[in-house]
Amino acid sequence: MAISRGGRYTLDNVVPACAACNTSKCNDEVTGWMRRKRLDERRFLERYVQIRASLLRDASLSPADEVAGAFAQVD
């Protein structure tokens, strides 16, 4: 549910979108917006699952793990 319609700022309620798409979506539900724009819902949902899993993994790291991970990525 859109924040403007009472939705919450939670990971489950956030839809990753560029500024143009977010503006176009306005306060519509994402699936209704996608159908109106004739976008590929399946592709979006697969990517959404990947992004959400990544964010959950990142959120579960402790600060020490984040530092160690940053150094591991630089090498």
Side-chain angles (χ1 to χ4, degrees), residues 1-74:
M1 176 182 294
I3 303 297
S4 63
R5 292 173 41 195
R8 297 176 51 188
Y9 285 99
T10 63
L11 188 55
D12 289 332
N13 194 44
V14 173
V15 177
C18 68
C21 287
N22 193 46
T23 300
S24 170
K25 189 178 96 43
C26 194
N27 67 351
D28 291 342
E29 293 293 325
V30 71
T31 52
W33 172 78
M34 292 185 79
R35 288 180 189 130
R36 189 178 80 238
K37 300 292 261 180
R38 293 184 169 87
L39 299 173
D40 186 349
E41 285 181 68
R42 180 183 175 132
R43 184 173 174 209
F44 166 80
L45 291 172
E46 288 171 349
R47 183 66 178 135
Y48 172 78
V49 168
Q50 291 174 343
I51 292 169
R52 187 172 184 279
S54 177
L55 290 171
L56 288 171
R57 259 192 321 273
D58 291 348
S60 69
L61 294 176
S62 71
D65 292 334
E66 290 179 27
V67 171
F71 285 112
Q73 292 172 3
V74 171

